[in-house]
């Protein structure tokens, strides 16, 4: 009677321990392979159409291609402010009056120019300048000395005064600037209004003035939206209001008013061995242009099961396989993981990894990886693709083995 009672007690205790251990293993694995089967294609047998495009053969472009080389001599254009004076004409002085002193212009604010003399004259949008007694003439692309000679020639032709008394004075008071909008999603910033000086109005200087060169979180491209003046100011922009390129190739806002041309994309990486063919005009910015550097927030993979759950950013410039991805997640294969250690007892490490990958047609394929085989066979070391979901668990034999270890 005593023996039967003891046997019954042992049976109850073992049953109770079995239930506890079963629940513990279920919590550790998250999904039992004995009860829930997942069918998948071996990693070595998936078609090439489902493999990601490699990142290992791409190199950074020379960022100097995003800038421009300033000329040896400054060339005048619309928006420049000239200091002009012509003795006896501008300003006008009667022949009997003594000559007036020229005003001295001291730079203000962010004007990098040194002090200059002369009466301020802004070069018009069409590149012309008008002075008393002569017809308007173009000064676009001229140097300061060429402008001075052109003024003297214009007065000689007009015969307003005698040739020997023509002494034009021309200086540069302020260089032209260009106002552009920069959106840096990679830095988590909204839109910024950036003022660029002449011959620095390019993508490189816009990036440097708005936070620096692209970082790890930036996409490998710069988007430029060219502003098309219509007499109406462009609306204010935020990083959530980036105009997308419509099918007709024109950016539109409001009731069909055209504000921007088709989006222009400049790549920041190129396949190894290829030279970047970026025309100079592609990097030069004009008044009202928008420069956008997008982030890579969707270039991620996911982990679950016995892997620490989370969303993880893929490296920008190189490929990673499943073992490297697990290392990024924070899991070291062979250490037992989060579910292989119970009450100080280390069990068998899980080797059954499933990768759920989107197909080009919108479907999904399940890829099965045996981590033990992957250690020996490089064909099993799947390259992780953006959007992949990695799910790690025990295979049936490992669950049984661990149950035996834990039940001792």
């Amino acid at each position: 009677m005593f023996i039967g009672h003891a046997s019954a007690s042992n049976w109850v205790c073992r049953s109770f321990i079995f239930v506890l251990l079963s629940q513990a293993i279920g919590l550790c694995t998250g999904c039992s392979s004995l009860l829930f089967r997942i069918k998948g294609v071996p990693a070595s047998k998936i078609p090439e159409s489902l493999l990601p495009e490699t990142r290992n053969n791409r190199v950074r472009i020379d960022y100097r291609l995003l800038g421009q080389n300033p000329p040896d001599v400054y060339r005048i254009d619309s928006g420049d402010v000239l200091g002009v004076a012509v003795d006896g004409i501008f300003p006008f002085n009667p022949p009997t009056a003594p000559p007036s002193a020229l005003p001295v212009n001291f730079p203000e604010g962010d004007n990098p120019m040194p002090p200059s003399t002369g009466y301020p004259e802004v070069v018009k949008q069409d590149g012309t300048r008008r002075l008393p007694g002569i017809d308007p003439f173009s000064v676009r692309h001229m140097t300061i000395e060429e402008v001075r000679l052109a003024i003297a020639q214009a007065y000689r032709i007009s015969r307003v005064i005698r040739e020997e008394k023509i002494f034009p004075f021309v200086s540069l008071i302020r260089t032209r600037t260009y106002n552009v909008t920069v959106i840096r999603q990679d830095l988590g910033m909204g839109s910024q209004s950036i003022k660029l000086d002449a011959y620095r109005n390019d993508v490189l200087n816009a990036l440097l003035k708005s936070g620096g060169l692209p970082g790890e979180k930036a996409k490998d491209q710069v988007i430029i939206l060219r502003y098309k003046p219509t007499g109406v100011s462009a609306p204010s922009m935020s990083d959530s209001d980036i105009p997308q390129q419509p099918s007709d190739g024109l950016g539109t806002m409001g009731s069909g008013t055209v504000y921007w041309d088709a989006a222009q994309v400049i790549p920041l990486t190129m396949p190894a061995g290829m030279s970047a063919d970026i025309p100079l005009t592609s990097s030069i910015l004009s008044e009202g242009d928008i420069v956008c550097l997008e982030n890579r927030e969707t270039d991620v993979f996911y982990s679950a099961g016995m892997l620490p759950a989370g969303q993880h950013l893929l490296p920008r410039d190189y490929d990673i396989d499943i073992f490297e991805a697990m290392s990024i997640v924070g899991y070291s294969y062979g250490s037992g993981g989060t579910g292989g250690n119970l009450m100080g007892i280390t069990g068998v490490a899980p080797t059954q990894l499933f990768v759920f990958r989107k197909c080009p047609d919108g479907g999904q394929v399940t890829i099965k990886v045996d981590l033990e085989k992957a250690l020996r066979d490089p064909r099993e070391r799947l390259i992780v693709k953006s959007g992949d979901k990695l799910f790690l668990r025990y295979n049936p034999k490992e669950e049984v083995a661990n149950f035996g270890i834990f039940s001792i």
Side-chain angles (χ1 to χ4, degrees), residues 273-331:
M274 291 185 61
S275 59
D277 184 16
I278 302 176
L280 177 61
T281 54
S282 298
S283 301
I284 296 178
L285 303 174
S286 301
E287 183 75 18
D289 285 351
I290 298 175
V291 178
C292 177
L293 203 58
E294 298 177 301
N295 59 30
R296 297 192 304 120
E297 61 181 7
T298 59
D299 193 19
V300 296
F301 70 95
Y302 305 87
S303 58
M306 294 192 66
L307 295 174
Q311 173 182 289
H312 315 278
L313 187 68
L314 281 169
R316 182 185 62 182
D317 300 321
Y318 56 90
D319 299 330
I320 59 170
D321 61 26
I322 49 175
F323 289 111
E324 293 165 329
M326 289 192 294
S327 177
I328 290 175
V329 168
Y331 179 90

Side-chain angles (χ1 to χ4, degrees), residues 66-68 176-182 194-210 222-227 264 266 279-292:
L66 302 178
Q68 59 182 310
R176 60 190 179 273
T177 58
Y178 302 87
N179 294 294
V180 300
T181 299
V182 182
I194 303 295
K195 182 179 291 186
L196 301 174
D197 295 324
Y199 301 118
R200 293 181 178 272
N201 55 315
D202 48 55
V203 173
L204 179 60
N205 281 285
L207 295 179
L208 292 176
K209 292 191 71 172
S210 63
V222 176
I223 298 176
I224 303 175
L225 301 175
R226 302 290 183 181
Y227 180 62
Q264 177 185 352
I266 299 179
L280 177 61
T281 54
S282 298
S283 301
I284 296 178
L285 303 174
S286 301
E287 183 75 18
D289 285 351
I290 298 175
V291 178
C292 177

Side-chain angles (χ1 to χ4, degrees), residues 45-353:
K45 295 183 179 180
I46 62 172
E48 290 188 7
S49 60
L50 295 178
L51 298 177
E53 182 180 351
T54 182
R55 307 181 185 206
N56 290 338
N57 66 344
R58 300 189 70 85
V59 295
R60 301 269 107 191
I61 67 169
D62 186 344
Y63 283 129
R64 289 177 295 180
L65 295 174
L66 302 178
Q68 59 182 310
N69 293 322
D72 295 334
V73 181
Y74 189 88
R75 298 281 174 177
I76 305 300
D77 209 331
S78 57
D80 286 325
V81 181
L82 303 179
V84 182
V86 182
D87 188 27
I89 301 176
F90 184 69
F92 175 74
N93 280 324
T96 57
S100 15
L102 295 179
V104 178
N105 305 291
F106 293 94
E108 297 180 356
D110 57 353
N111 185 3
M113 300 298 297
S116 57
T117 56
Y119 293 91
E121 291 290 324
V122 180
V123 180
K124 294 183 179 180
Q125 189 66 33
D126 60 1
T128 62
R129 184 63 267 161
R130 184 170 185 174
L131 294 174
I134 58 176
D135 295 331
F137 63 97
S138 177
V139 297
R140 177 165 286 164
H141 305 315
M142 290 184 179
T143 65
I144 292 295
E145 179 61 18
E146 290 171 344
V147 173
R148 189 188 69 78
L149 294 176
I151 293 174
Q153 181 66 14
Y155 277 112
R156 289 190 188 101
I157 295 174
S158 67
R159 298 182 180 276
V160 174
I161 56 177
R162 289 182 300 173
E163 179 178 344
E164 61 269 20
K165 291 188 177 181
I166 302 176
F167 299 105
F169 179 87
V170 182
S171 67
L172 184 61
I173 295 178
R174 188 181 183 95
T175 59
R176 60 190 179 273
T177 58
Y178 302 87
N179 294 294
V180 300
T181 299
V182 182
I183 301 175
R184 296 294 299 268
Q185 290 185 339
D186 62 318
L187 301 178
M189 298 180 178
S191 61
Q192 305 176 60
S193 180
I194 303 295
K195 182 179 291 186
L196 301 174
D197 295 324
Y199 301 118
R200 293 181 178 272
N201 55 315
D202 48 55
V203 173
L204 179 60
N205 281 285
L207 295 179
L208 292 176
K209 292 191 71 172
S210 63
L213 295 174
E216 175 68 18
K217 295 183 179 180
K219 282 189 177 181
D220 288 333
Q221 62 183 27
V222 176
I223 298 176
I224 303 175
L225 301 175
R226 302 290 183 181
Y227 180 62
K228 296 185 66 174
T230 58
V232 180
S233 299
S236 59
M237 302 294 297
S238 66
D239 56 354
S240 61
D241 297 327
I242 303 171
Q244 302 298 315
Q245 181 178 354
S247 58
D248 61 0
L250 293 175
T252 60
M253 298 290 290
S255 56
T257 302
V258 178
Y259 285 106
W260 292 279
D261 275 328
Q264 177 185 352
V265 178
I266 299 179
L268 297 179
T269 62
M270 296 293 294
M274 291 185 61
S275 59
D277 184 16
I278 302 176
L280 177 61
T281 54
S282 298
S283 301
I284 296 178
L285 303 174
S286 301
E287 183 75 18
D289 285 351
I290 298 175
V291 178
C292 177
L293 203 58
E294 298 177 301
N295 59 30
R296 297 192 304 120
E297 61 181 7
T298 59
D299 193 19
V300 296
F301 70 95
Y302 305 87
S303 58
M306 294 192 66
L307 295 174
Q311 173 182 289
H312 315 278
L313 187 68
L314 281 169
R316 182 185 62 182
D317 300 321
Y318 56 90
D319 299 330
I320 59 170
D321 61 26
I322 49 175
F323 289 111
E324 293 165 329
M326 289 192 294
S327 177
I328 290 175
V329 168
Y331 179 90
S332 177
Y333 173 69
S335 65
T338 56
N341 192 310
L342 186 63
M343 295 179 294
I345 304 174
T346 301
V348 178
T351 62
Q352 194 173 73
L353 178 70

